[in-house]
Amino acid sequence: MLRQKLKRRVGGNGARRQSPRAGVVLAVLLSACARQQPPAPPPPLVSVATPLARDVVDWDDYAGRFQAVEDVQVVPRVAGQITRIGFREGVEVGKGQFLFEIDPRPYRAALAQAQAEAARATATLANARTELTRAGTLLAGQAISREEYETKLAAQRTGEAGLASARAAVNARALDVTFTTVRSPIRGRVSDKRVSLGDYVQPGTTLLTRIVSVDPIWFTFDGAESFYLKYIRQAKTGERRSSRYAPNPVDIQLADENGYSRRGRMVFVDNAIDTGSGTIRAHAEVPNHDGFLVPGMFGRARLLGSGTYHALLIPDEAIVTDQTRRIVYVIGGDGKTAPRNVVTGPLVEGLRVVKSGLAPADRVVIDGLAQLQPGTPVRVKAARITPRATGDAPVSSAASAPQPAEATAR
């Protein structure tokens, strides 16, 4: 018993003697643990979807103003004093509707005088004809000379000319009387009166009022030379007919609208490009049955810019811009990301058109792009691309080979 106790004490003292060595071993173990690498993070989780396929039509964007098809500055054709005004300002007037009266009395008097001159010329001619008939009888009996007969013949011809002149004067004076009543030359909306009762007006110079046609109305705009060149090339390949010969559709958005409320058709493209601005003038015809549109009103128009073509659509956030390149990441068969250079187009249904660089079966990364590099292994979460909007694509800037401003799906 005593021996066992002594062994226990010796063992305890021995343990205390070995304590420094145990500390060294513990330090070595801790240092080895510190040198081990931390566990690798899991591959990033990304959302992947195949592109949405659509048949697409491009639209090019223009800013312009509405213009009346007929715009008439009403001026008098005879001089005189305004004696009557017969219209309400700012309302629609019909073709031939009475507007102004210029004092007709001097012109009626001139007409009566011309008619009297015509009656005198008629009597003179009748007398000349009677004398010529008598002279013909006398000439046959050789009672007068041939010279005297020809004098009677000349008198008849002079009488005929005098009557024709008198009748022309009657017609001219009758026109003057007609011109004293100023009527609307077109059907349209009249402006205010620019003269008052008693004002003396001069023919061809005094502005009486202005009348503009209402229905239809033109939407006038200027197109860049680059767009014009694109349209000419499309017409040659048969992709899109030229607006010079075809009534290509035009949709118009007013200044306070978000959508396109008016629809028209192209009716005119000018024959030359303005050398100062590098643009060509054109206009579309727009129905205006309600008279809502007025000349000078601003609008934004989209003009048919292509034929129908097949395109793939992806969200804008799936596209990475690298200086001049646009890149989309797809998932390869090995589960790693691979970059694809793509050529993009306008927005349609809230998605970006990809014209080339993608295949319909490609699995496109649409979320989590910030942590990706080429060849990055990823975990895939299946997603689906759906339309986000209809017909409200923003305007894109035109390049040297102009991009359409927007597009619509068929």
Side-chain angles (χ1 to χ4, degrees):
M1 180 85 56
L2 179 61
R3 184 178 297 174
Q4 290 178 353
K5 290 180 180 180
L6 291 173
K7 287 182 178 179
R8 290 193 189 102
R9 289 179 181 177
V10 171
N13 294 334
R16 285 193 291 270
R17 287 195 297 269
Q18 294 175 357
S19 178
R21 183 181 297 175
V24 171
V25 172
L26 180 60
V28 171
L29 291 175
L30 290 175
S31 176
C33 291
R35 287 196 299 269
Q36 291 181 357
Q37 294 292 331
L45 179 64
V46 296
S47 298
V48 175
T50 56
L52 185 66
R54 283 288 189 272
D55 289 329
V56 173
V57 175
D58 289 341
W59 296 84
D60 295 325
D61 188 84
Y62 298 93
R65 294 192 179 276
F66 290 96
Q67 177 183 344
V69 176
E70 296 178 290
D71 189 337
V72 180
Q73 306 286 331
V74 181
V75 295
R77 302 182 69 173
V78 293
Q81 194 175 48
I82 297 295
T83 55
R84 275 200 303 156
I85 300 175
F87 68 95
R88 181 184 172 188
E89 299 171 313
V91 300
E92 284 72 21
V93 294
K95 184 177 181 179
Q97 181 173 330
F98 169 76
L99 301 177
F100 297 92
E101 182 187 65
I102 299 171
D103 189 357
R105 292 174 298 175
Y107 298 99
R108 288 173 180 169
L111 174 61
Q113 183 179 2
Q115 290 170 338
E117 291 295 332
R120 178 184 298 176
T122 300
T124 301
L125 177 59
N127 183 56
R129 285 173 175 170
T130 300
E131 291 198 3
L132 179 61
T133 302
R134 185 182 302 112
T137 303
L138 294 176
L139 179 63
Q142 296 183 348
I144 61 174
S145 64
R146 185 71 186 180
E147 181 181 2
E148 188 174 355
Y149 174 80
E150 291 179 352
T151 300
K152 300 297 184 181
L153 180 60
Q156 176 180 307
R157 292 173 178 171
T158 302
E160 290 173 348
L163 179 58
S165 177
R167 286 175 176 172
V170 170
N171 291 336
R173 301 293 79 76
L175 279 176
D176 288 342
V177 173
T178 302
F179 293 154
T180 61
T181 300
V182 180
R183 299 184 181 276
S184 175
I186 63 170
R187 181 176 181 268
R189 187 171 291 154
V190 67
S191 181
D192 59 339
K193 60 182 184 295
R194 307 298 173 85
V195 294
S196 301
L197 290 174
D199 284 347
Y200 192 87
V201 297
Q202 294 290 343
T205 59
T206 305
L207 178 62
L208 301 178
T209 189
R210 176 190 178 193
I211 304 173
V212 296
S213 60
V214 176
D215 184 29
I217 194 169
W218 284 340
F219 183 81
T220 303
F221 59 92
D222 294 327
E225 183 178 351
S226 55
F227 282 99
Y228 180 76
L229 292 173
K230 183 186 79 167
Y231 298 149
I232 293 299
R233 293 192 176 97
Q234 287 177 340
K236 286 185 176 181
T237 59
E239 179 183 349
R240 171 192 179 275
R241 293 182 63 193
S242 170
S243 296
R244 193 185 301 278
Y245 307 106
N248 288 323
V250 175
D251 295 339
I252 300 173
Q253 178 186 89
L254 303 183
D256 63 343
E257 294 177 340
N258 294 322
Y260 294 88
S261 63
R262 303 282 171 163
R263 185 175 180 87
R265 59 186 181 90
M266 290 297 299
V267 294
F268 169 75
V269 177
D270 210 350
N271 60 358
I273 292 177
D274 189 310
T275 56
S277 62
T279 59
I280 189 167
R281 189 166 54 94
H283 64 244
E285 185 176 274
V286 183
N288 189 29
H289 304 313
D290 56 0
F292 184 83
L293 304 174
V294 296
M297 186 181 289
F298 175 82
R300 171 185 168 225
R302 61 181 191 183
L303 168 64
L304 180 69
S306 74
T308 303
Y309 63 93
H310 194 70
L312 301 178
L313 310 181
I314 62 175
D316 251 343
E317 56 268 25
I319 302 172
V320 178
T321 302
D322 180 10
Q323 294 180 349
T324 59
R325 299 184 304 165
R326 288 176 172 80
I327 299 172
V328 171
Y329 282 101
V330 300
I331 305 300
D334 57 358
K336 296 181 180 180
T337 59
R340 293 280 182 85
N341 292 329
V342 295
V343 176
T344 60
L347 284 175
V348 55
E349 297 184 351
L351 301 172
R352 180 65 62 182
V353 169
V354 176
K355 294 187 174 182
S356 64
L358 280 182
D362 281 339
R363 296 186 299 165
V364 178
V365 179
I366 61 175
D367 188 19
L369 277 79
Q371 50 190 336
L372 297 185
Q373 293 292 333
T376 303
V378 294
R379 292 177 297 149
V380 172
K381 180 177 68 174
R384 183 181 178 185
I385 298 175
T386 57
R388 298 177 175 178
T390 55
D392 59 350
V395 181
S396 63
S397 58
S400 57
Q403 289 284 352
E406 51 190 285
T408 55
R410 290 294 191 185

